[in-house]
Amino acid sequence: MAAAAKAIKFAYNGALANNLRKFTWNNLWGGREYGLLFHDTYFEPAPEVTEALRRLNLQEPHLFDQRKIRLSRAHTLALHGEKLPKAEWTQYENETWYLKPYLDEIEAEKKARAESSGLIPPYQMKQH
Amino acid sequence: MKTSIVTRSAAATKAHASKNLSTKLSNGLQVISKERSGAVSQLVLAFRAGSRYQSDKQSGLVHHIRNFVGRDTSKYPGISVVWSSAAIGANLTSFSTRDVFGVQMTVNRDHTDTALSILGHVASQPAFKAWEFEDVIPSVKSDLAFKNSYDYVLEGIHSAAFRQGSLANSIYAKRGEIGIYKSDDLNGFASKHFVSGNGVIVGINTNSQSLQHYADELLPINDGSNVVLSESPYKGGDFRRSGKGNDAHIILAGNGAAINDTNALAVQAVFLSHIGRVSPLKFATLPGLSSGLSKLPFGVAGSAFHASYEQAGLVGVYLLANGENANAAVKSAFNILKSPKIEDLEGSKRRAIAEIETNYADGANEAIQRAIIALGKGPGRNALIESIKKVSASDITQFAQKAFAKPSLASYGAISQIPYVDEL
């Protein structure tokens, strides 16, 4: 399971950055007691994230479904004012930053667009 | 992408007499370079990945792959690929036949190196991203909308002649097959076929050293061996498709020469030049008075037709008749094909050679032709011409007897009067 997290490359990968990441994930983010992964709580209405989720659904529908189930369970818990028992909280070792590859690709595409035609991508165009 | 050997200006075409090249690398990739002293380079990277390699459940797959060219590759987004090729003034096209799939770039000679680097990624590392299907599928639909009558009979003659064999697979997807393939299907096909042992890189008007250097060290192609061919022998049969209007488009064909059989190709070439092709002149419809097709009924236009693949081929005529004279046209064409009465053998041979030489002088599709011939292990121009010179009249009569022993007939349009093949 740690292998899934290890496959993701962050911009800062030193010891300090990794420790800081682990500390913030454990203490400053509130998702683990609801059984969520970090990218479950990413700001969905942002165009890049919406597009990344659309691509996740198309390419890895299984992961998209699992995300949906985690969110549904978390929302039910929050609705009742409950949290999971400590043993069932998400562990840092099981964290997969599953949207990162898609987000990176979208950023690369934005850069490529800016360097070439300069047109904005379709998912950023205003929906009428 | 610059190498240490770069041709910088048009003056270089006069200064550097670039050698012709035809080798096979250690990973199995064939490299072909030909110097034509032209200003435009034609670059082709092609694989034995045509529609004949589709399995029964993959009908229409190569059409989707063909239309995916220009989209994301594994390393570069599609936008960058297309924009950079436009920036150097290159044309990027994909093509596929039943045997071969490839990508061609034509570019001003000065930018060959950049074009090669783009070509390598586009042809051998397509990514087939799942979210690009919705952009590609409308292009497949529009390909079908632009099919004309000749395309219908061309696909039909293959399905008639090869029946359930793999050569009967159409290069087009059927309407109901559009969009049924997913990323994994395309990636599976690509990983099997877009490998070095299965491919050829052709450069016309490029510096052969830089082409070889690129193919040796810089081409991002996966290693792999060539794909084994499944046999698809000629069988013979009918294909009929009715259509509106009074025109009848007909292809009457027989068992032709395979692409690697030089002698048979030579005999077939002389046979077809006797049969006659429609004149390239603007208001001339019929081939010459001494040609085979001059014996067709009045009002019927005809032109010789052939298609050569690995291990099989088709040879015959394409007729354009109308609803009334279609019957007479087909019967007369069959007699012309089966028993050709060649009055002027030397003339036919010379016309066949002239056709090959004119084709060579034209050069517009030379890179694609060389790629197809290299992948099919076909003969070069000179070998074919030498073989043509040795053709005798008895060769041709034997060829015609054998080819049309079991003919195939494909028709589209006003087909009510067209006979079936067993009535001929």
Side-chain angles (χ1 to χ4, degrees):
Chain A
M1 276 300 151
K6 290 286 183 289
I8 304 290
K9 291 275 171 278
F10 293 101
Y12 300 101
N13 262 321
L16 174 64
N18 286 338
N19 287 334
L20 206 54
R21 196 172 291 125
K22 185 166 180 180
F23 176 80
T24 34
W25 192 93
N26 275 313
N27 301 92
L28 302 180
W29 175 56
R32 60 185 186 136
E33 49 252 40
Y34 294 96
L36 293 169
L37 292 176
F38 184 68
H39 279 159
D40 293 344
T41 57
Y42 234 52
F43 183 61
E44 206 177 303
E48 287 83 0
V49 182
T50 316
E51 176 67 13
L53 286 168
R54 183 182 79 93
R55 295 185 183 188
L56 179 74
N57 192 7
L58 289 170
Q59 183 149 313
E60 289 170 301
H62 185 57
L63 289 189
F64 187 83
D65 293 344
Q66 285 177 345
R67 166 199 154 92
K68 213 166 179 180
I69 292 167
R70 283 194 301 272
L71 282 170
S72 166
R73 184 181 59 183
H75 288 142
T76 312
L77 289 170
L79 179 67
H80 295 295
E82 294 166 3
K83 291 183 182 176
L84 289 175
K86 188 112 197 259
E88 291 176 33
W89 287 10
T90 327
Q91 303 302 316
Y92 186 67
E93 291 72 38
N94 298 339
E95 170 65 64
T96 64
W97 316 89
Y98 58 86
L99 276 190
K100 182 137 182 32
Y102 298 94
L103 292 166
D104 287 343
E105 186 169 4
I106 290 169
E107 289 302 315
E109 280 176 19
K110 279 165 71 173
K111 186 161 169 284
R113 257 178 223 279
E115 286 167 1
S116 61
S117 61
L119 299 167
I120 54 172
Y123 59 83
Q124 281 204 319
M125 291 182 187
K126 210 155 162 223
Q127 304 299 325
H128 291 284
Chain B
M1 187 167 283
K2 302 278 185 201
T3 66
S4 58
I5 306 159
V6 171
T7 48
R8 283 203 181 277
S9 68
T13 63
K14 298 185 194 113
H16 293 270
S18 184
K19 292 202 313 288
N20 294 338
L21 179 67
S22 176
T23 58
K24 191 164 181 168
L25 303 178
S26 55
N27 59 10
L29 183 73
Q30 298 184 56
V31 180
I32 295 175
S33 168
K34 182 95 174 76
E35 179 60 55
R36 298 292 302 268
S37 304
V40 172
S41 288
Q42 298 175 24
L43 306 161
V44 164
L45 181 51
F47 301 98
R48 292 166 71 235
S51 63
R52 77 184 297 172
Y53 296 97
Q54 291 167 180
S55 72
D56 287 340
K57 296 200 176 58
Q58 288 175 329
S59 175
L61 188 70
V62 173
H63 193 175
H64 288 78
I65 291 180
R66 189 164 83 229
N67 285 34
F68 247 101
V69 164
R71 298 278 164 189
D72 284 1
T73 63
S74 55
K75 253 187 108 179
Y76 298 102
I79 314 154
S80 301
V81 157
V82 172
W83 194 264
S84 1
S85 57
I88 55 176
N91 275 340
L92 177 69
T93 46
S94 65
F95 62 92
S96 91
T97 66
R98 284 168 158 77
D99 269 340
V100 159
F101 163 83
V103 181
Q104 177 183 37
M105 285 187 84
T106 52
V107 67
N108 188 336
R109 209 175 169 133
D110 299 342
H111 302 289
T112 307
D113 296 318
T114 321
L116 270 175
S117 65
I118 297 171
L119 182 67
H121 284 279
V122 170
S124 55
Q125 299 280 350
F128 303 123
K129 298 270 168 74
W131 48 89
E132 295 193 308
F133 277 84
E134 60 190 19
D135 297 321
V136 166
I137 281 165
S139 74
V140 176
K141 289 185 181 157
S142 89
D143 283 346
L144 293 186
F146 275 97
K147 272 169 84 171
N148 56 29
S149 317
Y150 178 70
D151 295 326
Y152 284 121
V153 282
L154 186 61
E155 299 302 316
I157 193 68
H158 287 88
S159 121
F162 298 108
R163 295 196 194 169
Q164 288 155 325
S166 56
L167 274 172
N169 292 344
S170 173
I171 57 173
Y172 293 104
K174 295 193 187 37
R175 204 164 302 274
E177 291 161 356
I178 302 177
I180 64 172
Y181 298 108
K182 301 288 168 230
S183 226
D184 292 335
D185 306 318
L186 273 64
N187 275 316
F189 188 89
S191 62
K192 192 168 162 227
H193 289 273
F194 295 175
V195 293
S196 53
N198 221 20
V200 63
I201 185 163
V202 177
I204 309 290
N205 295 328
T206 56
N207 185 320
S208 57
Q209 285 155 310
S210 54
L211 181 68
Q212 173 137 37
H213 174 72
Y214 178 77
D216 255 328
E217 301 184 22
L218 302 167
L219 181 60
I221 195 172
N222 301 326
D223 282 332
S225 56
N226 71 336
V227 178
V228 173
L229 193 56
S230 65
E231 289 229 348
S232 180
Y234 176 90
K235 298 269 174 70
D238 276 289
F239 172 89
R240 304 167 78 89
R241 180 179 173 138
S242 67
K244 293 184 198 153
N246 204 30
D247 284 336
H249 296 261
I250 302 161
I251 294 185
L252 176 61
N255 194 357
I259 199 173
N260 56 343
D261 190 347
T262 313
N263 290 332
L265 278 174
V267 176
Q268 180 176 283
V270 181
F271 171 67
L272 289 176
S273 91
H274 156 74
I275 293 292
R277 287 184 175 80
V278 166
S279 167
L281 301 176
K282 192 169 177 183
F283 294 108
T285 47
L286 290 175
L289 288 174
S290 65
S291 71
L293 286 180
S294 59
K295 314 255 179 331
L296 282 177
F298 180 76
V300 177
S303 186
F305 160 80
H306 81 284
S308 299
Y309 305 105
E310 284 190 54
Q311 297 174 3
L314 294 174
V315 60
V317 288
Y318 169 52
L319 301 171
L320 182 51
N322 58 40
E324 289 79 39
N325 61 21
N327 195 325
V330 171
K331 293 205 163 114
S332 142
F334 183 65
N335 287 332
I336 295 165
L337 288 170
K338 181 126 190 186
S339 341
K341 301 205 174 24
I342 304 183
E343 292 156 6
D344 185 9
L345 180 65
E346 276 311 305
S348 294
K349 284 191 197 178
R350 289 201 198 113
R351 276 198 303 278
I353 293 174
E355 168 131 16
I356 294 173
E357 298 280 27
T358 320
N359 227 353
Y360 178 68
D362 178 12
N365 288 322
E366 182 169 358
I368 295 180
Q369 286 177 9
R370 278 187 193 268
I372 292 175
I373 289 172
L375 288 175
K377 301 188 182 46
R381 176 177 60 103
N382 293 326
L384 190 57
I385 291 176
E386 288 309 310
S387 220
I388 287 178
K389 289 180 185 163
K390 297 189 195 119
V391 168
S392 68
S394 61
D395 288 336
I396 298 184
T397 33
Q398 273 178 353
F399 173 83
Q401 285 290 333
K402 190 162 147 289
F404 296 98
K406 286 191 69 184
S408 314
L409 182 61
S411 49
Y412 170 66
I415 57 169
S416 53
Q417 301 299 321
I418 296 177
Y420 280 78
V421 134
D422 50 11
E423 296 167 18
L424 289 176

